[in-house]
Amino acid sequence: MVAYKVARKLARLLDSFLRDRSVVLSDGSTWKYNIGVPQGSCMGPVFWLFIIDELSNHDNSNENAYLQACVDDVALLMQATASYHFKEISREIILKLESWAQSFNLRFSPIKSNYIMFKNNSEITHFPGLYLYGNRIVYDQNLKYLGLIFDKNLSFMPHLNLLQPKICKVTEKVRRIPRATCCLKPIIVKEIYLIVLEKIMM
C-alpha cells in the first residue's frame, strides 16, 4: 500500500480487513482464509489489481519474452529462432512466476496451464519441455485465451467452427426480419446483422 501512496489511515483499515480472515463451512467448521484476496467483496477486484500489478511490473530483461495478464489469466509470449530455445527462455521466467505466486499464497494450476507454438514457415517438429512446479506443461494445438481459440496456423478456424452453429442460428433469425417488417430498410437489416454477428465472433 505504501508503494501506491495509499493514505496511512486507509491502509490500516484495509490491512485490518485482510488480516485473520476465516470462512465458516457448511459443516460448521472454520477455515482460515489467507489465500489471494477475498472473493465476493466489493473491494476484491481492486485488491487483485494491486497483486497482479506487481506481476505485470516484474523486471524482465529478456527481450524475447513478454508477460501478458488479464484479470487472473496470465500468458507468457516468447519468440525464438529455434524451438529448443524456448526451454531456456522460459526457465527463469517461470521460476519468477512461481515465486510471485508463493509470496501471495497462490499457486498456478499445472492442469489448466497449456502452451501452443505458432509455426512460421516450416512445420513444427520439436516440442520443448516447459515445466511448472516440476510438471511438464502440456502442448495443445488449440489454445483458448480470453474466449478466443488460437491454433498453430493462426487461421482461427477452430474458433469459427465452434461459433458456426450459433452464427447460423442467429443468421436465420435475422433473415426473417425483412419478412415480418416489410418496411425495414435493407441497410438497417445489414447493420443488425453485423452488430449481432460481430458480438458473437469477437
Side-chain angles (χ1 to χ4, degrees):
M1 295 295 180
V2 176
Y4 294 98
K5 298 181 180 179
V6 177
R8 182 177 300 179
K9 290 184 178 180
L10 178 58
R12 290 175 59 186
L13 177 64
L14 296 177
D15 180 73
S16 175
F17 175 71
L18 295 171
R19 193 178 298 276
D20 298 326
R21 298 183 63 85
S22 60
V23 177
V24 179
L25 304 179
S26 57
D27 59 0
S29 59
T30 302
W31 177 62
K32 191 173 182 180
Y33 191 93
N34 60 352
I35 301 174
V37 297
Q39 295 188 11
S41 66
C42 297
M43 289 295 295
V46 178
F47 289 139
W48 177 251
L49 289 177
F50 282 119
I51 293 177
I52 201 69
D53 186 61
E54 291 195 18
L55 177 61
S56 60
N57 292 332
H58 209 291
D59 179 37
N60 180 26
S61 56
N62 195 325
E63 60 182 11
N64 293 317
Y66 177 76
L67 201 61
Q68 172 71 41
C70 181
V71 192
D72 59 348
D73 289 321
V74 179
L76 174 59
L77 308 178
M78 298 181 290
Q79 64 176 3
T81 54
S83 58
Y84 59 84
H85 289 312
F86 288 123
K87 183 176 182 179
E88 180 182 351
I89 296 173
S90 66
R91 184 183 295 112
E92 182 181 355
I93 300 175
I94 292 179
L95 286 176
K96 289 181 179 180
L97 290 174
E98 294 176 0
S99 176
W100 168 83
Q102 179 64 33
S103 65
F104 293 100
N105 292 326
L106 299 173
R107 182 178 175 86
F108 291 101
S109 173
I111 299 176
K112 295 182 180 180
S113 300
N114 300 312
Y115 81 92
I116 188 173
M117 297 176 64
F118 304 118
K119 69 176 187 179
N120 187 6
N121 295 320
S122 58
E123 287 291 334
I124 301 171
T125 57
H126 177 263
F127 301 94
L130 309 182
Y131 293 87
L132 179 65
Y133 301 115
N135 300 311
R136 183 162 183 165
I137 302 176
V138 177
Y139 169 79
D140 201 339
Q141 291 188 356
N142 299 319
L143 184 66
K144 188 174 184 179
Y145 182 66
L146 301 181
L148 189 63
I149 300 177
F150 294 85
D151 61 282
K152 64 179 182 179
N153 298 318
L154 289 177
S155 67
F156 297 100
M157 287 306 300
H159 182 73
L160 294 176
N161 290 335
L162 180 67
L163 297 178
Q164 184 180 13
K166 185 182 294 186
I167 292 175
C168 291
K169 187 176 181 179
V170 173
T171 302
E172 178 61 25
K173 290 183 178 180
V174 173
R175 192 173 64 86
R176 295 175 184 174
I177 293 177
R179 299 178 184 176
T181 56
C182 58
C183 299
L184 199 62
K185 295 181 179 180
I187 190 172
I188 297 178
V189 177
K190 182 180 179 181
E191 190 70 18
I192 295 174
Y193 175 85
L194 291 175
I195 292 175
V196 172
L197 291 187
E198 284 183 359
K199 185 176 181 180
I200 294 175
M201 290 187 290
M202 304 304 290

